[in-house]
Amino acid sequence: NTDNLLQGCGKAFYESGLETEFEKRFRLCLRALNELIIEAKTTCNIGLIATQGSKLLFSDAGTISMLHVRKNKVTKLNGENKASTFKEIGTGKLSAGDKIILCSKAVSTNLTTKEINNLLSDYPLDDLNGVLQTRLDLPKNISLSLPTPYL
């Protein structure tokens, strides 16, 4: 279940010690999550993001879209990972005002980057899930997540 995944991730990330290099702790977290996914014999759609200052690390499992928005330009962060476990780590650099969007393929394939930009500028973040569900006629379990990076 989700609680087990989150606990396993947090445990691997933080119990390795803050003196352990940031990317290594992220890799340990992904390894722990992969073990839990395999042990549970399940599939999932997860995007995982870690930030340290302006440094961004990200990885995905399943069919989730990860988008980076900077100054009204949307860039897709991940490729077509259909594996049920985490395979690769992407890196990047964040700037003030950047947004990272985690959304289902239903959202990313039905909206153009211009439409995504318009939605981000026209609606408060708290209202976007409702707007997307209505606009795309999505089931209630499909959502958009906008983690706020701490810069």
Side-chain angles (χ1 to χ4, degrees):
N1 76 26
T2 306
D3 289 338
N4 288 344
L5 290 175
L6 293 174
Q7 287 174 351
C9 179
K11 184 176 181 178
F13 192 79
Y14 291 107
E15 287 187 3
S16 58
L18 295 178
E19 69 281 351
T20 304
E21 192 242 330
F22 179 61
E23 189 168 337
K24 183 175 182 181
R25 287 187 296 144
F26 191 70
R27 287 184 188 284
L28 290 170
C29 176
L30 296 180
R31 184 179 308 140
L33 286 173
N34 282 342
E35 288 171 5
L36 290 169
I37 291 167
I38 291 166
E39 182 181 302
K41 297 179 181 162
T42 189
T43 60
C44 53
N45 299 312
I46 301 173
L48 193 62
I49 294 170
T51 61
Q52 182 181 50
S54 63
K55 185 174 184 173
L56 168 71
L57 300 175
F58 58 92
S59 189
D60 65 315
T63 57
I64 190 166
S65 291
M66 301 174 79
L67 308 171
H68 175 242
V69 182
R70 177 178 287 161
K71 296 182 182 175
N72 295 326
K73 182 179 179 197
V74 178
T75 304
K76 189 170 182 179
L77 292 176
N78 61 331
E80 294 297 320
N81 177 18
K82 294 184 179 168
S84 62
T85 56
F86 296 94
K87 300 286 184 194
E88 298 177 5
I89 295 177
T91 62
K93 188 171 182 172
L94 295 172
S95 296
D98 285 4
K99 293 177 182 68
I100 303 297
I101 301 173
L102 306 177
C103 59
S104 69
K105 296 287 183 185
V107 173
S108 65
T109 57
N110 286 299
L111 293 175
T112 65
T113 55
K114 183 177 181 181
E115 289 173 313
I116 292 171
N117 281 329
N118 290 342
L119 287 170
L120 289 170
S121 62
D122 292 346
Y123 296 95
L125 296 180
D126 292 341
D127 296 344
L128 279 179
N129 277 329
V131 170
L132 287 170
Q133 286 173 339
T134 301
R135 184 169 173 173
L136 299 176
D137 194 27
L138 297 174
K140 295 285 184 223
N141 65 340
I142 304 276
S143 66
L144 174 95
S145 177
L146 291 157
T148 305
Y150 297 98
L151 297 176

